[in-house]
Amino acid sequence: LLLAVEDPWARLGSGGATLNALLVAAEHLSARAGCTVVTSDVLREARILILHMGRDFSFDDCGRAFTCLPVEEPGAPAEALVCNLDSLLGTMTHRLCVGSPPGVWVCSTDMLLTVPSAPEIDWDGFQGVRVIAVPGSQAYARNHGVYLADEQGLVRDIIYKGTEAQIQQCAGPDGTVPLVCGVVFFSSDAAEQLLATHVVPPLDACTYMGLDSGAPPIQLSLFFDIVLCMAGGMTEEDFVKGGGDAIVRSARSVLWTALRAFPLSMACIPDASYDYMTTSASDHICSLTLLPGSASHFCFCKTAHSHVDQPWLLEDGSSVTNCLLEGAVRLAAGSVIQHCHLQGPLEIGPGCLLSGLAAGSSPALQGCPLRDVVLQGHHVQLHGLPCRVFTLTGRLDDWQSPADEATYLNVPWAEFFHRTGIREGDLWDAEMPRRSRCLLSARLFPVLHACEALGLEDVLWLLAPAAVAGERLVRWRAAWRMSWQELLPCLDKAAELGARRALFFLQGQHKVRRVLLGHQDSSLLPLTRSAIHEGYHEAVLGTLDEVASTAGDAGIAARALACIADVLGCMARGEGGLRSGPAANREWASAFGRLESGDIAGGVRELAAERQKWMSRPALLVRAARHYEGAEQILVRQAVMSSCQFVTVGQAELPPLGHWVQVVCPARLDLSGGWSDTPPITYEHGGAVVDMAVLVDGCRPIGARVRRISEPELRLVSLGGTPQSEAAVELVCRELEHLQDYCQPHAPGALLKAAFICTQVVQFPSQKPLRAQLMESFGGGFEVHTWSKLPHGSGLGTSSILAGAVMASLYRAAGKAASTESLIHAVLHLEQRLTTGGGWQDQVGGLVPGIKIGRSKAQLPLRVEVEKIPVPDGFTQTLNDHLLLVYTGKTRLARNLLQDVVRNWYARLPSAVQNADALVSNAEECAQALRQGNLPLIGKCLDRYWQQKKCMAPGCEPLAVGCMMDALRPYVYGQCLAGAGGGGFLYVLTKGPRQKEALQQILTKTEGLGNFSIHSIEVDTGGFSVEVVGCDPK
């Protein structure tokens, strides 16, 4: 329940406001409980936090609570400015309130309070009321309140602006004193008693009910009228007498009766810090530029939620929050800019606070040296007329000191009058007493002019030398001017918050450009969520369209389209179905066609036009998001296809007609680093994968053979598990149209059709018919047989290795030769054409013999480099003795896993970015462990790798597999599901050698595993073979 409670009177005081807020909260809780009258019973189990908004503040039109802090929260779900209220709410929720019983917390918002960790306040047997104190210096205490407490922590007295002797009396052994920091806790009993007073005159006047009943107004302090009555050193007579007028004395008498019985204890938080937000500009600037050490759970930063064209011009010790600084804006240490859109060249010296200045103010500032001044732009409403007013004061000025003793713009008033020609009569009425003539009441600031628009220059001239001042003085005198005191009631807080919001999203649009064009690993999702919540999503979509169409880089454009998909997905607010799904609706075909043809700008324009038709409801938004992900995949494919330049094909002897070319390949085990080879991660982050070519049950399980035949056709045969098996699927292609579905992975023979196209044995699309192409180039057609002993979804890299086997045999049968490196890149190309996506680790694992690490740099064109890992003598046999393969009996569907991983990467979720870093470093560590022949360390890398896979693709560990891994854990150094997980094969590195039978017994006894089987594996140091085997493959 969140309530904004207005005070019934303007000068109610913190005590009256607390009683009124408590009544309103109790009334709402009573209504929720189905009661027809306010009952204090609802406070029994309630946990209530009352935050006081405090008085007006000279340095922020929205008050101290909404003063923005130079803070960013990278982990927050939505991106937003952090104001003092957020900081206090975080401190109360996650620090001070931890472990407290039901009751009412009251907290002021006119201070910066930092509590580094939950202070472990002892709540055992707590009763009554507890005040929170912060240790401070005796010098600071002279202008503040301090608690006098006994050894048991019970408060004896509250001393405000005490004498040196009084303050000394409150000091602890270390010389610090417990400062009053504006935080109090009332137990539910005490809160009930306090609430009961709202019906007793004169306290009834504190609440809105009293106002509505015609009670006369009253002003009460939370600390000196309510809390103080429970202090142990107070007598009733002293307390009641100290109440000033008769009404307050009467109120104090009621409070004494109601609350005196409750003990008042103090908890002083040792490492906390407290800064009251005074009316001193120096203090305020200092609190925004000095880091509060480790004290805060927020970390102050130099630029928060700001776009700065030339950040190197901001000196350390300066602070910029919610700003757009274009061009050369130089900012000295000890200066603060908030909520400004400025255009350089500008020079801002030390000791300045600038706030609320729009871009139009920049010309007036150019060439105007600023130092030790506070310059603010305000939104005001004058009898319903909105206008902008600028105020200018000095950092050292005091608002309320009489002019005779004070300064303006840091110089004595007399000197200011002499330099500008302004007279006292211009600022104050003749009848105003001299002691009342101060900066607060001086009519300095032009508001309206009869015939000219006013601007920043109408206050900046007050800084000018005498020579310039003359011409401006006449215009200044002719304007209607107001003092800060007169302006305060006219401030338009709604307009001010609106302007801050607009500026926040304007700098947010610059952030979108900066992050995407600069290839930064920052997530734009939090900004996206905020933009949708605040109605700025169209602006963000427009910026993303612009980046995608003008970047001139397929990689950047792809990420921009993925971000648009995120905006649309977030707009659906969790309704409208799953994010992953089909993306081939005909309405989007024209835009997709443009992207396929390389016209990115045209494609993005058409996508945006089509998008407008899909914005009306969640189901359409989700479907549009899927199509944007489909569009992004087209651009990823184009980026990956840049690897074609590393495919070189030479000439070889054309085998005789009818002679088979046969290729058999090992499977692969990924030992660490998988997912870092997946586009776009592999070329945006860089990848490293440790792979091993393996024989399963003593043989190479994957193979293909190709021969030329006299008929000009393509015969595509998928055999069962072995080269001798019966045909499972047979397909004959005689026309080019028969190859058309090569890019639909589930179409019959799609992989083989794609292999013919990617090896350029067949030109597709082409004007020349298939039969003519085959007869001209080869004097006939081809027959291809493929087989795999491994079950579907095994996780051992079957489809990519099979693609490599088919391409190797096809090249050779067509009289060409390709190196292993060429084949690795050719398979990458084929899988992009096939639209299955996928990385490079599978073909590296199956086509390069033995144990190796493959790497790709964070750049395009995508190139994979493979380094063989040398292992100690005899260690290969050790691995063979300690590695086993367990078929889990579960098949997996990797398609959606891949979509989710790519989506999380493009959103740059911090977890995805950190995990990508961890995958690569774990791969390098695993390679090192293999070089050393260190089985336990390899096992540790395997276990870590499995955790990383689960982080990358949550849901990839079926329950039965979890049970299996738990059962095996005591007997293995490490274990991991092969490939993407979700099912298929589990590989284990056993502590003892040759443990197949032992593991079989353990798993047989384990319940809920289903249909598992255990297989031997050994490192294949020979690699795949290409041989021409004559007419009879058997």
Side-chain angles (χ1 to χ4, degrees), residues 513-597:
R513 290 188 196 96
R514 185 172 74 240
V515 165
L516 295 181
L517 297 173
H519 302 278
Q520 293 177 9
D521 282 340
S522 304
S523 177
L524 294 174
L525 256 183
L527 180 64
T528 294
R529 293 190 187 107
S530 296
I532 290 164
H533 186 62
E534 298 286 353
Y536 278 81
H537 49 276
E538 285 297 346
V540 173
L541 287 170
T543 304
L544 291 167
D545 287 336
E546 177 207 327
V547 170
S549 56
T550 58
D553 175 312
I556 292 173
R559 185 175 170 194
L561 295 183
C563 290
I564 293 175
D566 276 338
V567 175
L568 299 173
C570 288
M571 285 174 71
R573 298 177 194 271
E575 297 172 18
L578 295 173
R579 275 289 299 274
S580 298
N585 187 294
R586 284 199 201 99
E587 303 290 324
W588 300 82
S590 168
F592 281 20
R594 279 190 183 268
L595 294 176
E596 295 275 14
S597 71

Side-chain angles (χ1 to χ4, degrees), residues 413-450:
W413 278 97
E415 191 181 316
F416 168 74
F417 291 144
H418 178 71
R419 178 169 54 76
T420 57
I422 291 174
R423 296 188 292 268
E424 279 200 46
D426 293 324
L427 302 180
W428 297 288
D429 295 336
E431 59 270 18
M432 181 175 275
R434 288 207 72 75
R435 300 296 295 171
S436 303
R437 296 183 183 191
C438 61
L439 176 51
L440 194 60
S441 59
R443 293 199 186 105
L444 277 161
F445 310 118
V447 176
L448 289 173
H449 192 284

Side-chain angles (χ1 to χ4, degrees), residues 54-68:
R55 293 173 283 278
D56 297 315
F57 188 43
S58 326
F59 310 116
D60 198 300
D61 291 358
C62 297
R64 290 174 172 86
F66 292 100
T67 295
C68 286

Side-chain angles (χ1 to χ4, degrees), residues 70-89:
V71 165
E72 288 190 352
E73 292 180 279
E79 194 163 311
L81 298 175
V82 175
C83 57
N84 190 32
L85 184 73
D86 298 305
S87 171
L88 288 167
L89 204 49

Side-chain angles (χ1 to χ4, degrees), residues 539-798:
V540 173
L541 287 170
T543 304
L544 291 167
D545 287 336
E546 177 207 327
V547 170
S549 56
T550 58
D553 175 312
I556 292 173
R559 185 175 170 194
L561 295 183
C563 290
I564 293 175
D566 276 338
V567 175
L568 299 173
C570 288
M571 285 174 71
R573 298 177 194 271
E575 297 172 18
L578 295 173
R579 275 289 299 274
S580 298
N585 187 294
R586 284 199 201 99
E587 303 290 324
W588 300 82
S590 168
F592 281 20
R594 279 190 183 268
L595 294 176
E596 295 275 14
S597 71
D599 176 10
I600 294 179
V604 170
R605 267 197 311 276
E606 283 201 24
L607 286 170
E610 184 58 36
R611 176 177 80 217
Q612 291 306 320
K613 307 171 194 170
W614 297 67
M615 305 283 276
S616 59
R617 59 180 195 271
L620 292 178
L621 284 163
V622 168
R623 288 165 64 195
R626 291 172 184 167
H627 283 82
Y628 263 94
E629 287 185 348
E632 145 229 310
Q633 282 304 314
I634 293 170
L635 298 181
V636 171
R637 285 202 288 281
Q638 290 175 348
V640 174
M641 286 198 218
S642 64
S643 63
C644 285
Q645 58 193 270
F646 306 116
V647 179
T648 48
V649 179
Q651 290 302 312
E653 191 189 340
L654 191 68
L657 195 74
H659 280 234
W660 290 99
V661 176
Q662 181 160 298
V663 173
V664 284
C665 296
R668 73 96 188 91
L669 269 194
D670 54 320
L671 299 187
S672 53
W675 282 126
S676 74
D677 65 306
T678 305
I681 300 172
T682 190
Y683 61 76
E684 290 186 351
H685 175 276
V689 183
V690 175
D691 266 327
M692 186 188 282
V694 292
L695 307 177
V696 179
D697 292 332
C699 74
R700 292 182 182 142
I702 300 160
R705 57 170 176 248
V706 180
R707 66 174 174 183
R708 284 190 303 120
I709 54 177
S710 51
E711 295 85 354
E713 63 189 25
L714 307 178
R715 286 185 203 151
L716 314 178
V717 181
S718 172
L719 303 173
T722 67
Q724 289 77 37
S725 307
E726 294 293 308
V729 180
E730 232 175 303
L731 208 63
V732 180
C733 302
R734 298 189 176 93
E735 313 288 341
L736 279 178
E737 294 82 81
H738 296 159
L739 301 180
Q740 219 164 327
D741 57 0
Y742 78 93
C743 56
Q744 293 166 19
H746 302 298
L751 185 144
L752 303 183
K753 293 173 185 177
F756 275 101
I757 293 165
C758 292
T759 51
Q760 296 183 326
V761 169
V762 173
Q763 300 300 318
F764 180 92
S766 168
Q767 297 302 307
K768 194 176 284 186
L770 178 61
R771 300 168 79 89
Q773 285 189 41
L774 292 171
M775 289 310 289
E776 268 178 43
S777 302
F778 305 105
F782 290 88
E783 183 174 347
V784 185
H785 292 184
T786 59
W787 61 90
S788 165
K789 289 185 173 178
L790 301 171
H792 175 70
S794 66
L796 299 180
T798 312

Side-chain angles (χ1 to χ4, degrees), residues 266-588:
M266 176 186 80
C268 192
I269 313 301
D271 45 3
S273 71
Y274 158 85
D275 269 307
Y276 180 73
M277 296 167 80
T278 67
T279 54
S280 153
S282 292
D283 289 354
H284 187 60
I285 291 169
C286 188
S287 67
L288 293 177
T289 50
L290 286 181
L291 283 94
S294 64
S296 177
H297 45 285
F298 294 121
C299 222
F300 278 25
C301 43
K302 193 195 294 184
T303 54
H305 303 294
S306 297
H307 175 78
V308 182
D309 274 354
Q310 300 182 22
W312 54 91
L313 295 180
L314 308 181
E315 289 184 12
D316 287 345
S318 64
S319 162
V320 176
T321 306
N322 195 35
C323 288
L324 187 51
L325 305 184
E326 297 174 306
V329 178
R330 191 178 290 278
L331 184 63
S335 279
V336 175
I337 309 182
Q338 293 198 326
H339 317 300
C340 289
H341 181 180
L342 300 176
Q343 290 160 338
L346 293 178
E347 185 127 0
I348 294 147
C352 292
L353 169 64
L354 273 63
S355 172
L357 304 180
S361 305
S362 298
L365 283 170
Q366 286 160 8
C368 175
L370 296 182
R371 187 187 183 99
D372 291 325
V373 294
V374 177
L375 180 57
Q376 294 171 278
H378 310 273
H379 292 267
V380 298
Q381 281 265 2
L382 299 168
H383 303 295
L385 174 72
C387 59
R388 299 278 284 139
V389 177
F390 299 96
T391 57
L392 176 68
T393 54
R395 177 173 68 85
L396 304 172
D397 298 345
D398 184 293
W399 284 100
Q400 290 176 307
S401 294
D404 295 341
E405 305 156 18
T407 61
Y408 177 54
L409 297 176
N410 310 311
V411 298
W413 278 97
E415 191 181 316
F416 168 74
F417 291 144
H418 178 71
R419 178 169 54 76
T420 57
I422 291 174
R423 296 188 292 268
E424 279 200 46
D426 293 324
L427 302 180
W428 297 288
D429 295 336
E431 59 270 18
M432 181 175 275
R434 288 207 72 75
R435 300 296 295 171
S436 303
R437 296 183 183 191
C438 61
L439 176 51
L440 194 60
S441 59
R443 293 199 186 105
L444 277 161
F445 310 118
V447 176
L448 289 173
H449 192 284
C451 36
E452 296 178 65
L454 296 173
L456 189 57
E457 58 278 9
D458 292 293
V459 292
L460 282 177
W461 78 273
L462 299 172
L463 289 166
V468 183
E471 58 200 74
R472 281 281 171 190
L473 179 58
V474 179
R475 177 178 155 102
W476 179 84
R477 280 206 171 113
W480 176 35
R481 302 180 313 280
M482 294 172 77
S483 67
W484 181 237
Q485 200 167 23
E486 291 165 333
L487 278 169
L488 267 174
C490 305
L491 292 177
D492 188 342
K493 293 182 172 64
E496 177 58 35
L497 289 170
R500 290 180 187 184
R501 180 194 291 129
L503 185 55
F504 175 80
F505 287 109
L506 187 59
Q507 68 78 28
Q509 286 168 263
H510 280 75
K511 175 182 178 170
V512 169
R513 290 188 196 96
R514 185 172 74 240
V515 165
L516 295 181
L517 297 173
H519 302 278
Q520 293 177 9
D521 282 340
S522 304
S523 177
L524 294 174
L525 256 183
L527 180 64
T528 294
R529 293 190 187 107
S530 296
I532 290 164
H533 186 62
E534 298 286 353
Y536 278 81
H537 49 276
E538 285 297 346
V540 173
L541 287 170
T543 304
L544 291 167
D545 287 336
E546 177 207 327
V547 170
S549 56
T550 58
D553 175 312
I556 292 173
R559 185 175 170 194
L561 295 183
C563 290
I564 293 175
D566 276 338
V567 175
L568 299 173
C570 288
M571 285 174 71
R573 298 177 194 271
E575 297 172 18
L578 295 173
R579 275 289 299 274
S580 298
N585 187 294
R586 284 199 201 99
E587 303 290 324
W588 300 82

